[in-house]
Amino acid sequence: MQLIVVSGRSGSGKTIALRVLEDLGYYCVDNLPIAMLPTLVHAVMAQYDRIAISIDVRNLPEKSEELLESLDFLPTDVEPQILFIDADDQTLLQRFGETRRLHPLSQKELPLTDALQLEHKLLEPIMGRATWRIDSSHLSLHQLSEQVTERVLGRAEKKLIIVFQSFGFKYGLPKDADFVFDARILPNPHWQPELKLLSGLDEDVQHYFRQQPLVAKYVHQMDNFLATWLPHFQRSNRSYLTIATGCTGGQHRSVYITEQLAERFKQTDIKVQIRHREMSK
């Protein structure tokens, strides 16, 4: 039987994820007290072969050890998979401001910023056990739904999906990245006046990079590294892998390298996706 536990901080998108799983045919239970999980599984496993539950800070046990024990003492044919969704503090503050909802921990008269920090600390044990982690900070509702669907179906169909993502270090690391590469050591077209306002998607910038031996060497060695280790991820039943390449602003070097790597792996039987996090900035 498949069991997916959906968790994460309030406002990150857990409700959306649970709706997606329900559409995929999962029997869904929202905000289940973790102590009741083994009872629920035993009660419905004869009728349902796919179950999804959401757990948030309101229904965690007082001790984190009890949470892990509840996951470990399930029937032997049930392997829980955890989907953990989070967003950065600024995004969560904005979402609470727009919806005017009260944070669950704010009932203890905590300021919202303190409530978010405390919530993060309380959820650390389940975050550490996560099968998948999604950062919803820059995702629309549709994009978040797509990511949940892709990760769950990819796992079920034993297909590896690789996301090649560019980003800017000045805006922070992607929280859901599995590998992070730093392209800031490479020549930067930002300092070329005619290229500054362009991006790594523009032909002039791409021509500039094609003339740089160091860039070609960087891409070649990344390609070799990934080609060596990706088969091991496939054999380990991994369904989703995010390869993030960053430069200072996420406009030139990281974009070019992301496009180059994606193009190379599109020639394989691996499903490839491309995301440029900072292109809208």
Side-chain angles (χ1 to χ4, degrees):
M1 186 186 79
Q2 289 182 292
L3 170 64
I4 296 180
V5 178
V6 181
S7 188
R9 286 198 288 178
S10 303
S12 61
K14 299 189 302 296
T15 301
I16 295 169
L18 206 63
R19 289 174 183 168
V20 171
L21 292 171
E22 188 171 30
D23 290 341
L24 292 176
Y26 285 77
Y27 175 78
C28 297
V29 180
D30 195 8
N31 291 332
L32 180 77
I34 189 64
M36 295 180 62
L37 178 57
T39 302
L40 172 71
V41 170
H42 282 96
V44 304
M45 63 186 304
Q47 186 176 359
Y48 300 98
D49 60 357
R50 291 187 291 179
I51 301 174
I53 67 165
S54 71
I55 295 175
D56 66 17
V57 72
R58 291 171 293 180
N59 45 34
L60 287 176
E62 292 185 5
K63 297 181 180 180
S64 60
E65 296 81 11
E66 297 176 22
L67 166 64
L68 302 181
E69 288 174 0
S70 297
L71 296 177
D72 291 335
F73 285 96
L74 293 171
T76 55
D77 59 340
V78 178
E79 181 181 354
Q81 298 165 346
I82 299 174
L83 170 61
F84 193 90
I85 306 175
D86 201 5
D88 58 53
D89 288 357
Q90 182 178 354
T91 299
L92 294 177
L93 287 169
Q94 180 181 347
R95 290 175 181 172
F96 273 99
E98 292 172 349
T99 61
R100 299 186 181 274
R101 292 178 56 232
L102 187 66
H103 189 281
L105 297 178
S106 293
Q107 296 179 8
K108 299 180 180 180
E109 299 183 355
L110 282 176
L112 181 54
T113 52
D114 293 345
L116 289 172
Q117 291 299 317
L118 176 58
E119 185 179 29
H120 185 274
K121 182 178 180 180
L122 293 174
L123 290 172
E124 281 182 347
I126 196 167
M127 180 172 59
R129 289 277 296 267
T131 309
W132 308 283
R133 293 179 62 179
I134 296 178
D135 179 5
S136 68
S137 303
H138 304 279
L139 301 179
S140 66
L141 298 182
H142 178 68
Q143 290 170 330
L144 176 57
S145 299
E146 280 189 337
Q147 286 207 24
V148 173
T149 300
E150 289 166 355
R151 298 191 185 203
V152 172
L153 291 183
R155 183 82 170 197
E157 297 172 3
K158 303 185 184 304
K159 293 182 179 179
L160 180 63
I161 300 172
I162 302 181
V163 178
F164 289 100
Q165 175 175 301
S166 67
F167 72 96
F169 277 95
K170 66 189 293 184
Y171 301 110
L173 290 169
K175 293 182 181 180
D176 54 355
D178 297 292
F179 288 98
V180 175
F181 295 92
D182 189 346
R184 289 176 293 184
I185 58 171
L186 301 177
N188 190 358
H190 174 82
W191 304 112
Q192 306 295 321
E194 69 279 11
L195 302 178
K196 180 178 180 179
L197 298 180
L198 302 178
S199 77
L201 298 177
D202 293 302
E203 175 58 33
D204 289 346
V205 174
Q206 294 174 5
H207 177 76
Y208 170 85
F209 282 129
R210 287 195 291 267
Q211 309 308 309
Q212 308 293 329
L214 193 62
V215 174
K217 182 177 181 180
Y218 190 94
V219 173
H220 176 69
Q221 292 190 344
M222 282 185 67
D223 185 18
N224 283 341
F225 174 84
L226 295 173
T228 298
W229 293 107
L230 285 181
H232 295 274
F233 282 99
Q234 288 177 294
R235 287 195 290 271
S236 67
N237 200 29
R238 185 68 174 263
S239 64
Y240 207 90
L241 199 67
T242 300
I243 313 295
T245 303
C247 58
T248 304
Q251 299 292 329
H252 297 102
R253 293 165 289 185
S254 61
V255 172
Y256 175 79
I257 291 169
T258 294
E259 290 286 331
Q260 291 295 305
L261 290 172
E263 189 60 34
R264 294 172 187 228
F265 283 92
K266 281 180 181 177
Q267 312 305 319
T268 68
D269 59 352
I270 296 173
K271 184 177 180 180
V272 171
Q273 297 180 3
I274 303 172
R275 297 197 183 113
H276 299 301
R277 197 183 74 177
E278 323 299 0
M279 289 297 290
S280 60
K281 291 184 171 62

